[in-house]
Amino acid sequence: MNEDIQVLDIVIPEDLATAKLPSPELVNYYKDYDNRVIFVGDVDDCLFDVTKQIYEYNRQDKGKKIEDRTPITIQIMSYGGDLYQAYALISAILASTTPVYTINCGVAMSAGLLILLAGHKRFAMKYSTAMMHSGSGSA
């Protein structure tokens, strides 16, 4: 036997109940994370994590030329939500040196549309819908 080859002890579980595998959703989340794909649904406090992630990708890209940076893709399927959370994300997108591409994957309404419009490049799926209303009557 060649001494350069190591034999690994692989334990194959008897059934799925004993398997220690990550959930498919978690695997897909980290694959998207590595590929710089972010999903935006409800515009609420969860967007703070998206905002932080944009700053983190820019930190990782520090010193790289813009054309050498891997773009950040934000896929939007949102009926809107908290305008102040949207403004925080929009500020991060506009401040980003790393290109941010926004994609309307179906619905970008109200605050979701504002996020879509903030992208350095903007895209929309063929049958997607965008809507902006005229503001609040009670404001």
Side-chain angles (χ1 to χ4, degrees), residues 60-137:
Q60 291 172 6
D61 289 346
K62 188 173 183 177
K64 289 183 183 178
K65 292 188 248 177
I66 293 174
E67 57 270 9
D68 294 336
R69 295 175 180 223
T70 302
I72 302 164
T73 302
I74 299 177
Q75 297 186 3
I76 302 166
M77 180 72 166
S78 176
Y79 289 95
D82 188 332
L83 193 57
Y84 296 108
Q85 296 295 327
Y87 284 156
L89 177 56
I90 290 166
S91 295
I93 293 169
L94 296 177
S96 178
T97 306
T98 300
V100 178
Y101 300 165
T102 53
I103 303 171
N104 181 348
C105 292
V107 177
M109 296 185 175
S110 191
L113 177 61
L114 294 176
I115 295 167
L116 175 71
L117 295 175
H120 299 137
K121 288 187 179 181
R122 297 158 301 281
F123 304 91
M125 303 300 280
K126 185 174 183 177
Y127 297 108
S128 61
T129 300
M131 184 278 300
M132 178 53 65
H133 47 82
S134 60
S136 174

